[in-house]
Amino acid sequence: MPAAARAAEPFDELTLRRAQRGDEAAWRALIDRHQAAVHAVIWRLLAGRRRHRVEDLVQETFVRVLRALSGFDPAGPATLSTWILTIATRLALNELRRPELAALAEEPAAAGSDRADAGAERRRLAAAIQAAVAALPEAQRAVFVLREYHDLDYGEIAAALEIDLGTVKSRLARARGALRASLTAALPELQERS
């Protein structure tokens, strides 16, 4: 089963309770279940900047999760996966706010070859989407990534980012509008198809 599908399934309550008591096998199961989603959210939020920090932030996320796990309430307002993604999101956003690293950025990855085959076209579209998401202001990018890539609902996003529900909706609308404009400008053939 793909990692994304495993992460979407609820974490077994018995395993969660064992992990909360410090059982190492249960900890490993929790990390295995959520590692791909945590890596993806951090990677997307850093948007190509400081790629060398992604693995460090994934590790830091799980250190914090394991330290605070005993206080997690499965009957509370957040699911386990939302709670873990909240921790990862906050770490990534804090990383982006570090002033000593604000000037550092990596060059965007080169797009696929210009061959006219379908694979090259998909790579070109994926590169354009990645660049457009990376160009979003971090507040809009965080809302967009949590909604579109990790399928959190508006309430979960509001809780994760500690913002109002209306702010989630407006940032998401602005992000989608900016992406639409960016992709239309970058890929004129999209405009011809619509």
Side-chain angles (χ1 to χ4, degrees):
M1 179 181 301
R6 280 195 316 269
E9 295 176 1
F11 195 66
D12 177 276
E13 190 174 329
L14 177 61
T15 307
L16 173 59
R17 279 190 260 139
R18 286 181 28 234
Q20 287 178 312
R21 288 191 307 265
D23 182 291
E24 288 187 36
W27 282 358
R28 173 57 38 210
L30 181 141
I31 291 167
D32 288 346
R33 171 71 56 95
H34 298 282
Q35 188 168 14
V38 167
H39 187 276
V41 77
I42 291 171
W43 176 263
R44 289 178 179 124
L45 288 173
L46 293 184
R49 296 171 190 89
R50 297 171 276 221
R51 289 182 181 165
H52 62 284
R53 291 284 295 141
V54 172
E55 293 302 324
D56 291 342
L57 293 173
V58 169
Q59 186 174 19
E60 179 64 21
T61 296
F62 286 108
V63 166
R64 290 182 183 203
V65 164
L66 296 177
R67 281 185 192 150
L69 189 60
S70 64
F72 173 75
D73 180 6
T79 64
L80 180 62
S81 61
T82 300
W83 181 69
I84 292 171
L85 287 177
T86 297
I87 293 168
T89 298
R90 289 181 182 162
L91 281 170
L93 292 174
N94 287 342
E95 176 72 14
L96 288 169
R97 292 180 187 120
R98 289 178 56 186
E100 67 273 13
L101 298 175
L104 295 177
E106 293 183 19
E107 291 297 316
S113 70
D114 290 332
R115 293 182 304 152
D117 67 356
E121 186 63 28
R122 281 193 301 276
R123 286 189 299 276
R124 185 168 164 251
L125 179 59
I129 292 169
Q130 181 181 4
V133 171
L136 290 171
E138 53 182 75
Q140 290 177 19
R141 186 171 58 242
V143 170
F144 181 81
V145 165
L146 291 174
R147 176 70 188 135
E148 300 300 333
Y149 289 102
H150 296 280
D151 204 29
L152 270 61
D153 67 35
Y154 293 170
E156 291 172 322
I157 295 168
L161 299 177
E162 296 178 329
I163 57 177
D164 292 330
L165 190 60
T167 304
V168 169
K169 292 177 181 179
S170 66
R171 286 181 184 175
L172 186 57
R174 282 191 223 115
R176 287 175 174 159
L179 288 170
R180 192 175 306 112
S182 179
L183 291 173
T184 300
L187 304 167
E189 64 274 10
L190 288 179
Q191 195 172 26
E192 294 170 9
R193 292 180 191 162
S194 36

